[in-house]
Amino acid sequence: MMKKIWGGGWRFLALLSTVLLGGCSSRDFWLFDAKGVISQTQVHYMVIDVVVMLVIIIPTALLIMWAMWRYRKSAGATYAPHWSHSNAIEAIVWGVPILTVAVLSYYSVEAIYQVNPYKPTVLARAEAAPAPRPLEIDVIATDWRWVFIYPAQHIMSVGRLVIPVDTPVKFRLTSTSVTNDFYIPQLVGMIDVMPGMRVKQALMASHVGTYEGFSADYSGAGFSWMNFQTDAVPSAQFQQWTKQAQQAPQHMDYAQFDLFAKPDISVSGKPEYFSDVEPGIFDHVVGEVMNGKVWPTPMGMTENMVKYLQKQRASQAQMQGEL
Amino acid sequence: MLVNLQGPWSPLLGRLAVSQIPYENPILVGTFVLVVALGMAILGAVTYYGKWGYLWREWLTTVDHKKIGIMYILVGLVMLLRGFVDAAMIRSQQAMAVGPDSAGYLGALHGYLTPFHFGQIYTAHGVIMILFAATPILVGIMNIIVPLQVGARDMAYPYLNAVGLWLTTAGAALVMTALFIGDFAHAGWFGNLPLNELPYSPGVGVDYWIWAFQLSSVGTTLGGINLIATIVKMRAPGMTWMRLPMFTWASLSANIISLTSFPVLTVSLALLSLDRYLGTHFYTAGMGGNLMLYNDLFWIWGHPEVYFVILPAFGMLSEIIPVFSEKTLFGYTGMVLASFGIAGVSWGVWLHHFFTMGSAPDVNAFYSVSTMLVGIPTGVKVFNWLFTMYRGRLRFELPMIWACAALFFLLVGGMTGMMNAFTTNDYMVHNSVFVVAHFHLMLLLIVYAIFGAVNFWFPKVFGFKLNERWGKWFFWLFTAGTATVFIPMFTLGFMGMTRRLDYIPYAQWQPLLDAEMAGIVLYSLSAVYLVAQLYVSLRDRALNRVGADAWGTSRSLEWATPSPVPFYNFAYIPHVNARDEWAWRKENGIAQLRHDRYEGIHMPKNTGVPLVLGALSLVLAFALVWRMWWLAALCLAGIVILVIMRSFAKDTDYIVSPEEVKRVEDALWAGTHARGTEAEGGRGRGAVGGGLSPAHSPSAPK
Ligand code: HEM
Ligand SMILES: [Cu+2]
């Protein structure tokens, strides 16, 4: 209930700023327009945080302005050149910030456990429910594409994430080369995706829709093109999509993945699908990287993007020819 | 070679080759021509006016803390301009490269900067603004003011002071070199690991970045040692701890954190250089390395560093606000405690820069709470400034309007900082432009405090005030620029925009990016007014001369000596009687006292060694960047030999004769008398202060 009210409040504020800013619609405020359980919890706590702080900061700002006006020299107000100490005021001056920080700390710690990427307590009930079972997805960030492997379905989707709505989704994430940040503003906050390591993330979409996801941590030349579309769809539609992907003509095993992971900027952003995906590619990648495997960036690779794209197209055409 | 280098290497030139000079890039060529023309013009002017000797004697070889401070500030201003140009390029690229249909120029698909070039620009922007603009300007001001405030004739180690300056300058010069020879790092000012490792950054950019950081790091550490020693050991008689001016307290706390944290930076970068030069695996993903180690080490320095720059700014506000409130600072003891509270907490919060790295919730909770603790002393400071204004008589002269504006930045910056400290918020906004807006507001607070401080202490150093009318124009335009850039930036953060995008996929961000661009135009316009302010002030300096007490209501010890300050600072080391010594003297009617007799003064001699050390360090760093081992070895040997030789030098000081002191003092005070009344209003009529010999001074009040 509380969440609904807070959410409504935000929508109002967002709307207000829309009027002020003109041109941007309130739906563009992805951070407030949360469509998943995790992101809604985050917004809920952000509102608490901001409100508590405004209770202190607005009066302080007003007081400063008042003092600047009231005690300007020409006003001729009370003047006490030597007044510089008062125990009562010192107590307030220390007390107010201490109290505020105590309240905020309480909420902050509470929130951390609720949306803990490894074990979010807000999803605990949904995860324990007999159905729908949580969906597991392995995420691999390459230079510079997002690879989503659905181990149970044996499919791999590049540059597009499809998930069933109202179903907990559990991610394992790693990277082939450098650090990226996995981020879908309307569904879940950021988590660092690091090479040779495995982190986890969890989310549950509560509304059907298409949400933008991208890498938030600078990872090199192709970083700006690392955005992916996330479709939260009803579960029947998800089943249908899986079936379709399982028909994809291209297959994937580690040897192919090794070639696939070479630096490549996905300027077109077109998604690709692979079926018959060899189990264990995720763990294989983590293991190889831990043993020192790298996919190096060639020198001067992107110093002329136009030329780079021409080359990319040529080599793709060649590969198609060979197939 | 122990590592796999892409590209050729030769024993003589290392990795350097003609192809490393970016002559096909019209932007860089244009800049190069401009820089060369400007350099030639300056060198030509110096030669034409026959000023080489003057330059060498009075500036390049000086150990005078005031001149070193001025040179620090000049270096900082030059780099500020460079950093601003970078910023304008970042903003214009982002405004141009929105949506798949946006046009591309100069080899870029969208906008006019290729991804790699764009990466270098924002990395350079961050490095320059923090290490080579804000830090040198603040160090410069501390250099000038702290010895005056504690009643010393110079820093504890004047020679070391000059070494620090020239090392910092060498670092700045190295960053500028990267513009024209080779390239610069692209992985962000704090260096994203393992992106910084050789396989992903095969060029020399990261090496430039490492050595520029190292030079400035060593320079700042030396400066920190010096300032701490000065404050602890060089205080005038009577200057007890609880009488120290607030700016000196702030400098002390800031330099304690710099002295304890900069060495960590040195080590963290040294380990990275081992990875890149010797093929070790400290931060690689494989072979047992761990990139998280770098994040920890870097931010154990990085967070204290941001407080290293903000504490002196707080100190400046604590000096300016009482003077223009015509009142004592409220809650002095609380302010001192708060400064050290901020410094102390700053060691224990670094993890908040990577809450999203997937640490256990207990760990994130600890750092969330510890980060929020910073809000307590910061809040205390705001309230104390507020109560300083309460029942005062506020005069909104230039320093005061900058200081008052800074208070509002602190409120907004502090609030957004507290939002970042709230871990689950940070999951949403980390690496977004919301964080970028947060720390820019904080850094702008510093900029505002600096402009306030420059206006405030300028008459002390140069003997005349800066023009008020042009200065106010500059203030309002600059503030308009700030609002127009950063309000949209916060908004974009809420819209989900992340940082460092060289191509913007989402069209709905366009209007706000355009607004930010308009802000950049306002900023540029404001710079014109700043130049005009300086020009008009210089032209009309005869009209704006001031006496010792430039503002009439000044309070601390630096206002007791003439303006401009003579090279020995105080003819007699002053005897301090109270917390706001100068205010105390005025109240007790002894501000006018002067000496009739002078004694010889012991001063350090000029030396060219620091300049040569700086030059050798620059060449050393350059040689290391390009892996010219023979040149690096030669420079290193030169540095070691020079340092050893200098440590045996005996003839490093001299005595200024009493007659010389008398001559200087008479000239300064004669000038002051003529203009004193006007500058100081009715209050400090003909006030002449200056050092009182202990024999003359009344004993401290019981
Ligand atoms: C109330 C005081 C403050 C708090 C609670 C605070 C909190 C934070 C937090 C949590 C972050 C990390 C955000 C993220 O990367 O996700 C951050 C970033 C940053 N803060 Fe603050 N901050 C405060 C004051 C300051 C001050 C005084 C400065 C500097 C003058 C500053 C400069 C920065 C910088 C430079 C960064 C970002 C560095 C980067 O990622 O490039 N902050 N702050
Ligand atoms: Cu920090």
Side-chain angles (χ1 to χ4, degrees):
Chain A
M1 203 54 230
M2 278 296 267
K3 267 175 218 166
K4 283 256 166 60
I5 298 172
W6 288 120
W10 265 124
R11 225 148 289 143
F12 172 74
L13 275 187
L15 217 74
L16 197 74
S17 31
T18 311
V19 179
L20 293 176
L21 291 164
C24 322
S25 102
S26 70
R27 289 206 356 264
D28 294 339
F29 285 81
W30 286 342
L31 258 51
F32 308 140
D33 194 19
K35 298 292 193 200
V37 174
I38 300 281
S39 49
Q40 279 154 355
T41 313
Q42 285 171 333
V43 171
H44 165 72
Y45 279 101
M46 185 185 274
V47 173
I48 294 181
D49 181 34
V50 171
V51 167
V52 170
M53 274 187 301
L54 287 181
V55 166
I56 310 302
I57 283 178
I58 290 181
T60 311
L62 291 176
L63 269 176
I64 293 178
M65 286 190 254
W66 170 78
M68 280 165 58
W69 174 252
R70 183 74 187 76
Y71 295 104
R72 67 192 192 282
K73 191 158 189 172
S74 56
T78 328
Y79 175 52
H82 290 293
W83 181 77
S84 68
H85 182 74
S86 144
N87 281 332
I89 290 180
E90 298 267 356
I92 295 172
V93 154
W94 285 89
V96 169
I98 289 176
L99 212 68
T100 319
V101 166
V103 172
L104 290 179
S105 298
Y106 171 80
Y107 283 115
S108 178
V109 173
E110 187 178 78
I112 287 172
Y113 287 90
Q114 293 201 353
V115 302
N116 169 17
Y118 289 84
K119 199 166 152 258
T121 55
V122 281
L123 290 188
R125 188 131 41 86
E127 278 178 29
R133 292 307 305 151
L135 171 69
E136 286 180 3
I137 301 178
D138 288 341
V139 182
I140 307 176
T142 68
D143 273 351
W144 290 276
R145 284 182 288 182
W146 287 106
V147 174
F148 303 104
I149 298 176
Y150 296 67
Q153 288 77 6
H154 302 288
I155 52 178
M156 169 171 143
S157 157
V158 179
R160 182 160 177 239
L161 178 63
V162 180
I163 52 169
V165 80
D166 290 325
T167 308
V169 184
K170 312 211 64 172
F171 299 94
R172 299 193 303 161
L173 309 94
T174 192
S175 162
T176 55
S177 56
V178 302
T179 308
N180 277 287
D181 242 339
F182 179 77
Y183 184 35
I184 311 172
Q186 286 173 279
L187 296 181
V188 71
M190 301 173 196
I191 186 87
D192 289 8
V193 181
M194 295 170 286
M197 278 176 257
R198 188 266 303 119
V199 292
K200 290 186 179 176
Q201 184 61 292
L203 65 82
M204 184 160 101
S206 53
H207 294 72
V208 169
T210 298
Y211 311 112
E212 292 295 331
F214 33 89
S215 170
D217 202 2
Y218 183 72
S219 54
F223 160 73
S224 300
W225 283 272
M226 279 182 84
N227 49 330
F228 58 92
Q229 189 179 315
T230 306
D231 291 310
V233 296
S235 99
Q237 202 178 327
F238 177 72
Q239 300 302 340
Q240 207 184 338
W241 175 79
T242 341
K243 291 235 171 61
Q244 236 168 28
Q246 280 162 344
Q247 309 301 320
Q250 287 171 289
H251 307 311
M252 181 58 66
D253 56 16
Y254 182 75
Q256 265 172 298
F257 187 83
D258 191 7
L259 297 177
F260 174 86
K262 276 201 296 205
D264 180 66
I265 300 178
S266 148
V267 171
S268 73
K270 245 196 263 135
E272 284 179 76
Y273 305 100
F274 299 83
S275 58
D276 264 342
V277 175
E278 183 186 34
I281 290 189
F282 184 90
D283 296 313
H284 201 153
V285 168
V286 175
E288 287 286 337
V289 173
M290 276 178 79
N291 280 326
K293 165 92 182 157
V294 290
W295 283 270
T297 314
M299 199 129 117
M301 171 173 176
T302 57
E303 279 171 26
N304 186 328
M305 280 295 283
V306 178
K307 275 197 201 135
Y308 169 76
L309 275 195
Q310 283 164 357
K311 255 202 283 185
Q312 190 187 39
R313 275 196 214 105
S315 77
Q316 270 165 2
Q318 198 190 353
M319 271 191 11
Q320 303 268 302
E322 277 168 15
L323 274 177
Chain B
M1 287 288 130
L2 292 159
V3 291
N4 274 333
L5 284 180
Q6 294 187 33
W9 178 87
S10 71
L12 185 63
L13 287 179
R15 304 183 81 185
L16 189 56
V18 181
S19 61
Q20 293 288 351
I21 296 172
Y23 48 80
E24 321 104 338
N25 187 323
I27 303 174
L28 288 174
V29 172
T31 318
F32 184 70
V33 171
L34 204 75
V35 169
V36 169
L38 211 70
M40 298 289 263
I42 293 174
L43 295 187
V46 173
T47 314
Y48 180 79
Y49 292 106
K51 290 285 186 194
W52 280 111
Y54 165 78
L55 207 62
W56 177 258
R57 274 191 318 275
E58 297 292 323
W59 294 94
L60 299 180
T61 61
T62 188
V63 292
D64 180 338
H65 71 99
K66 299 175 289 299
K67 286 183 176 161
I68 289 178
I70 292 169
M71 284 188 283
Y72 261 120
I73 294 171
L74 285 178
V75 171
L77 284 177
V78 170
M79 296 311 279
L80 189 70
L81 183 69
R82 158 85 203 271
F84 176 72
V85 173
D86 287 337
M89 289 176 82
I90 299 171
R91 292 266 57 82
S92 53
Q93 165 71 15
Q94 287 199 334
M96 283 168 74
V98 185
D101 302 327
S102 53
Y105 310 94
L106 301 178
L109 287 181
H110 305 281
Y112 64 105
L113 299 172
T114 59
F116 187 56
H117 194 177
F118 183 76
Q120 291 178 54
I121 289 174
Y122 71 66
T123 303
H125 169 75
V127 172
I128 287 173
M129 286 306 203
I130 292 192
L131 284 177
F132 297 111
T135 306
I137 294 179
L138 289 168
V139 171
I141 296 178
M142 289 193 271
N143 237 298
I144 297 174
I145 301 304
V146 166
L148 292 173
Q149 285 200 329
V150 300
R153 290 220 166 102
D154 205 316
M155 295 281 251
Y157 312 112
Y159 159 71
L160 196 68
N161 201 12
V163 175
L165 166 72
W166 292 113
L167 284 179
T168 307
T169 313
L174 193 68
V175 175
M176 295 306 264
T177 313
L179 201 54
F180 307 121
I181 308 176
D183 45 46
F184 199 62
H186 65 134
W189 78 273
F190 55 76
N192 243 323
L193 258 287
L195 189 57
N196 265 354
E197 295 280 3
L198 213 44
Y200 312 110
S201 301
V204 293
V206 173
D207 303 321
Y208 266 120
W209 172 85
I210 290 177
W211 298 112
F213 252 82
Q214 291 291 38
L215 286 175
S216 116
S217 162
V218 176
T220 313
T221 311
L222 296 182
I225 294 173
N226 212 344
L227 274 158
I228 294 175
T230 307
I231 297 169
V232 174
K233 299 300 288 184
M234 306 280 285
R235 282 168 294 136
M239 182 61 89
T240 56
W241 285 109
M242 290 318 268
R243 285 179 187 164
L244 273 189
M246 269 319 292
F247 181 70
T248 300
W249 271 121
S251 304
L252 182 64
S253 55
N255 282 290
I256 289 174
I257 35 185
S258 90
L259 187 63
T260 48
S261 64
F262 268 91
V264 186
L265 173 70
T266 306
V267 170
S268 67
L269 293 174
L271 296 183
L272 178 62
S273 349
L274 291 179
D275 277 7
R276 286 183 64 91
Y277 283 80
L278 300 182
T280 55
H281 291 277
F282 286 104
Y283 305 134
T284 55
M287 319 284 278
N290 192 334
L291 59 103
M292 292 163 140
L293 176 65
Y294 175 81
N295 284 344
D296 274 305
L297 285 177
F298 186 90
W299 287 111
I300 285 172
W301 164 77
H303 185 83
E305 158 70 15
V306 305
Y307 282 92
F308 170 64
V309 287
I310 202 132
L311 281 168
F314 286 166
M316 293 166 185
L317 300 184
S318 299
E319 295 290 337
I320 294 171
I321 291 174
V323 168
F324 293 95
S325 302
E326 307 191 1
K327 195 164 157 284
T328 324
L329 180 74
F330 181 85
Y332 175 90
T333 318
M335 285 301 230
V336 174
L337 285 178
S339 292
F340 280 82
I342 292 174
V345 174
S346 80
W347 283 307
V349 301
W350 74 89
L351 191 133
H352 66 217
H353 291 277
F354 42 93
F355 276 143
T356 59
M357 210 163 70
S359 312
D362 304 349
V363 176
N364 276 356
F366 177 88
Y367 284 95
S368 174
V369 174
S370 72
T371 302
M372 289 195 194
L373 290 182
V374 181
I376 299 172
T378 312
V380 168
K381 288 208 169 239
V382 175
F383 286 127
N384 281 355
W385 288 319
L386 166 64
F387 284 108
T388 303
M389 293 198 246
Y390 177 72
R391 299 204 167 156
R393 281 198 309 219
L394 274 58
R395 301 196 324 267
F396 293 98
E397 295 184 47
L398 277 177
M400 185 66 166
I401 55 174
W402 286 105
C404 284
L407 289 188
F408 292 97
F409 287 113
L410 183 54
L411 288 181
V412 183
M415 164 156 157
T416 51
M418 294 292 277
M419 284 172 75
N420 295 336
F422 201 99
T423 306
T424 58
N425 289 344
D426 190 66
Y427 292 160
M428 293 207 280
V429 298
H430 171 67
N431 274 332
S432 78
V433 294
F434 179 86
V435 166
V436 178
H438 151 69
F439 67 75
H440 276 86
L441 275 202
M442 280 303 191
L443 294 163
L444 275 161
L445 183 166
I446 299 173
V447 171
Y448 274 63
I450 287 176
F451 279 125
V454 167
N455 278 293
F456 184 55
W457 279 311
F458 189 92
K460 178 85 295 186
V461 178
F462 294 101
F464 59 94
K465 282 191 194 177
L466 287 173
N467 182 286
E468 177 116 10
R469 211 163 66 87
W470 289 95
K472 285 202 167 150
W473 268 101
F474 171 55
F475 169 83
W476 287 112
L477 272 169
F478 192 84
T479 305
T482 304
T484 325
V485 172
F486 290 101
I487 293 174
M489 199 181 284
F490 276 122
T491 316
L492 279 171
F494 289 128
M495 293 169 77
M497 182 171 163
T498 46
R499 58 202 288 201
R500 300 181 172 151
L501 292 168
D502 61 285
Y503 159 63
I504 314 278
Y506 305 111
Q508 68 266 31
W509 296 342
Q510 176 89 65
L512 291 171
L513 289 169
D514 291 341
E516 289 182 23
M517 196 58 219
I520 292 288
V521 174
L522 285 174
Y523 269 142
S524 316
L525 199 64
S526 78
V528 176
Y529 283 80
L530 173 62
V531 173
Q533 183 198 18
L534 293 177
Y535 169 76
V536 172
S537 312
L538 201 64
R539 190 191 62 195
D540 300 343
R541 61 186 177 280
L543 301 175
N544 297 318
R545 292 247 180 247
V546 295
D549 184 354
W551 304 101
T553 51
S554 316
R555 311 187 66 81
S556 41
L557 190 58
E558 74 270 27
W559 303 102
T561 189
S563 320
V565 182
F567 65 93
Y568 46 74
N569 291 358
F570 298 96
Y572 274 86
I573 293 294
H575 188 283
V576 179
N577 308 287
R579 188 172 286 163
D580 285 332
E581 173 66 9
W582 178 242
W584 186 88
R585 287 190 190 181
K586 283 190 286 191
E587 272 157 30
N588 290 279
I590 59 163
Q592 284 90 338
L593 294 186
R594 263 196 73 196
H595 301 277
D596 35 23
R597 213 162 34 76
Y598 294 101
E599 285 166 11
I601 295 178
H602 181 204
M603 293 298 288
K605 261 191 188 164
N606 284 2
T607 160
V609 175
L611 181 64
V612 179
L613 280 179
L616 282 174
S617 308
L618 175 60
V619 181
L620 169 65
F622 184 80
L624 286 169
V625 167
W626 291 98
R627 303 180 194 228
M628 297 181 217
W629 306 124
W630 63 271
L631 185 58
L634 216 64
C635 291
L636 192 64
I639 292 172
V640 171
I641 292 171
L642 202 57
V643 169
I644 293 176
M645 272 167 54
R646 161 75 198 189
S647 65
F648 284 102
K650 291 246 157 51
D651 182 26
T652 56
D653 47 6
Y654 70 110
I655 302 283
V656 187
S657 68
E659 297 75 48
E660 170 73 3
V661 179
K662 181 163 167 42
R663 201 181 53 73
V664 175
E665 290 285 306
D666 283 348
L668 280 169
W669 289 118
T672 305
H673 257 301
R675 62 198 178 235
T677 31
E678 186 229 348
E680 279 142 32
R683 211 156 178 272
R685 201 166 190 289
V688 282
L692 284 172
S693 71
H696 290 198
S697 75
S699 54
K702 293 278 142 57

